[in-house]
Amino acid sequence: MSLFGMMRTSVSGMAAQANRLAAISDNIANSSTNGYKRSSVEFSTYVLDNAAGSYTSGSVNTEIRNEISRQGALRRTSSETDLAINGRGFFVVSDISGETFLSRAGSFIVDSEGKLVNTAGHYLMGYDIKNTPATIVANGFGGLEQINVGLLELQSTPSNAGSMTANLPANVAVTPAGNLPSANAATATFSGKTSLVAFDNLGNERFIDIYFAKSGANQWEAVAFDGSAAAAGGSFPYTSGPLSSVTLDFDATNGLLTTASATSLSVPVPGGQSMVVDLKAMTQLGEEFTVLAASSNGNGPSSVERVEIGQKGEVVGIYQNGFRREIYQLVLADVPSPDNLRPLPGSVFAATLESGDVLVGYPGNGGLGSITSGTLEESNVDLASELTEMIESQRSYTANSKVFQTGSDLMDVLVNLKR
């Protein structure tokens, strides 16, 4: 047995325990860091070949392992932009230089430029779907950009669809042809009138007046006019003719539209697009004219008030006028072996040869987890376990130091034998 070997072995033991204590100190320091993943030190023996009748001590090796795949507890917050992943996957983030990383730290806020950034200064990435659908690059980060909700001021959308549900009185007299609203005469008569608000290409409000008049037995005329062209008092004659008209045919037995009847009214909105108004729920019953429901899509110029993020990663802008619009699509990234990712400062990770290639996909698809808004993933560190391991490591370090001290004492005895 070599005294030097014994001392070297004890030194390797102390170095191994020092590594373990370093990992424990990191874990304890980051026990409140959102998205932090615990590190641990595993030991393995390095034993030398020994001749019969003698033993030469070896050493101990250490290997760092990161528990990246183990999820931390989810904690609710009051911020819509706090995000957590329930299941596999990582957010795709980038730093100020544009370098891309993976992260589970989802404490995002809107910065002065309107970008979503977390506490480590990393920007959340996604696909811009304001104008075109997302096309995912499955094996890379191509097409992803930093999400910016500050560039969505004063958005407007022209109307192109609407609907109306109303009852037309079955017992009114038929209107003479010359007095039908489509004739646009001062003497025009009708049994029902309502208006829809539509938006043109510039976001201006356009009022569409819609008239209903009985043109025959179980038959009605639906006519649309530009509200701004109405005569004084808001009625006939209009300075311009009808925008469009259709004939509605009702079944005399149940008051519903027949299969041969028109079921929609296509209205060219002045300065805008063609708006198709759905009329299939209209009825003709023995009751007065009653509008039960009326709506149109589109919106005027409005700024984004806040954003909402769904479980599938859709980023929705909520405008001041209540209009909702999907503006970005978040994706999640994953690797075959998450625990072999390389941890970097700021609770981010980089792919390595051991972790495998990155695969990008939609949240909730292909084994990827879902995104929960208003939630944060806490560190997966258990303080009680860390403190227990710290005491254990401290004792082991002390024991190794005693071995070194014993070897040193024996070396002194050996050196002093000649005295």
Side-chain angles (χ1 to χ4, degrees):
M1 173 183 175
S2 167
L3 293 180
F4 283 116
M6 179 179 69
M7 296 173 67
R8 282 195 298 268
T9 299
S10 62
V11 168
S12 75
M14 286 188 286
Q17 294 301 331
N19 282 344
R20 188 183 188 190
L21 285 169
I24 292 171
S25 66
D26 246 357
N27 294 337
I28 293 176
N30 287 281
S31 60
S32 298
T33 302
N34 295 317
Y36 175 79
K37 299 301 180 180
R38 177 180 183 270
S39 298
S40 63
V41 175
E42 302 297 330
F43 301 98
S44 61
T45 60
Y46 182 72
V47 179
L48 301 177
D49 290 333
N50 291 289
S54 66
Y55 186 90
T56 302
S57 60
S59 62
V60 58
N61 291 332
T62 58
E63 180 181 348
I64 308 299
R65 291 186 178 177
N66 301 294
E67 299 181 11
I68 299 173
S69 61
R70 185 163 69 88
Q71 181 166 324
L74 301 185
R75 171 173 56 85
R76 295 293 299 176
T77 71
S78 58
S79 174
E80 290 285 346
T81 56
D82 281 341
L83 304 176
I85 301 171
N86 188 9
R88 288 182 65 98
F90 300 84
F91 297 114
V92 181
V93 299
S94 66
D95 60 16
I96 194 170
S97 67
E99 189 173 358
T100 307
F101 305 97
L102 309 181
S103 179
R104 298 276 295 197
S107 54
F108 296 100
I109 61 171
V110 180
D111 69 4
S112 59
E113 298 180 352
K115 298 179 180 180
L116 291 179
V117 60
N118 65 16
T119 52
H122 292 107
Y123 298 96
L124 183 61
M125 306 284 284
Y127 290 106
D128 185 346
I129 59 172
K130 292 189 289 293
N131 300 312
T132 57
T135 301
I136 285 186
V137 178
N139 63 343
F141 304 126
L144 291 173
E145 60 183 67
Q146 295 175 354
I147 291 179
N148 191 331
V149 298
L151 299 178
L152 305 173
E153 299 297 320
L154 299 179
Q155 296 287 326
S156 65
T157 304
S159 301
N160 60 14
S163 66
M164 180 177 294
T165 303
N167 178 68
L168 303 177
N171 301 321
V172 299
V174 174
T175 302
N179 291 338
L180 286 171
S182 57
N184 193 25
T187 58
T189 59
F190 49 89
S191 299
K193 175 193 175 184
T194 189
S195 297
L196 287 179
V197 176
F199 297 92
D200 64 17
N201 292 333
L202 300 180
N204 298 308
E205 285 189 352
R206 300 285 187 167
F207 291 93
I208 307 299
D209 295 339
I210 301 179
Y211 292 89
F212 297 94
K214 195 169 187 178
S215 57
N218 302 310
Q219 190 175 77
W220 289 76
E221 177 185 85
V223 188
F225 287 87
D226 179 1
S228 64
S235 190
F236 294 99
Y238 284 74
T239 57
S240 59
L243 296 173
S244 61
S245 65
V246 293
T247 299
L248 304 177
D249 295 305
F250 290 93
D251 190 324
T253 61
N254 58 22
L256 302 178
L257 291 174
T258 65
T259 55
S261 173
T263 58
S264 64
L265 177 66
S266 182
V267 181
V269 178
Q273 301 181 11
S274 179
M275 179 176 68
V276 179
V277 182
D278 187 347
L279 301 175
K280 64 176 177 289
M282 298 289 292
T283 60
Q284 177 195 249
L285 301 172
E287 184 57 66
E288 63 184 10
F289 175 73
T290 306
V291 177
L292 302 175
S295 65
S296 62
N297 66 355
N299 68 284
S302 180
S303 59
V304 171
E305 186 175 59
R306 58 190 176 88
V307 294
E308 291 181 357
I309 301 173
Q311 290 187 340
K312 296 294 185 180
E314 61 275 19
V315 181
V316 180
I318 311 298
Y319 291 78
Q320 290 176 339
N321 60 3
F323 179 70
R324 302 169 63 89
R325 182 186 185 191
E326 291 191 12
I327 50 181
Y328 286 96
Q329 173 65 53
L330 298 185
V331 292
L332 296 181
D334 197 15
V335 293
S337 179
D339 290 341
N340 281 315
L341 288 169
R342 179 162 59 96
L344 297 170
S347 296
V348 295
F349 308 98
T352 64
L353 289 175
E354 291 77 15
S355 70
D357 293 332
V358 172
L359 183 66
V360 177
Y362 289 110
N365 290 346
L368 293 172
S370 60
I371 293 177
T372 305
S373 178
T375 307
L376 289 174
E377 181 183 359
E378 296 182 337
S379 163
N380 62 1
V381 172
D382 179 8
L383 274 178
S385 297
E386 298 299 326
L387 292 173
T388 301
E389 291 192 15
M390 182 177 67
I391 295 172
E392 179 185 339
S393 186
Q394 179 186 8
R395 298 302 186 199
S396 296
Y397 190 97
T398 302
N400 278 283
S401 69
K402 292 295 185 182
V403 173
F404 183 89
Q405 185 177 2
T406 300
S408 177
D409 291 342
L410 291 175
M411 187 66 69
D412 284 342
V413 172
L414 183 61
V415 169
N416 294 325
L417 282 177
K418 65 178 183 177
R419 294 179 181 177

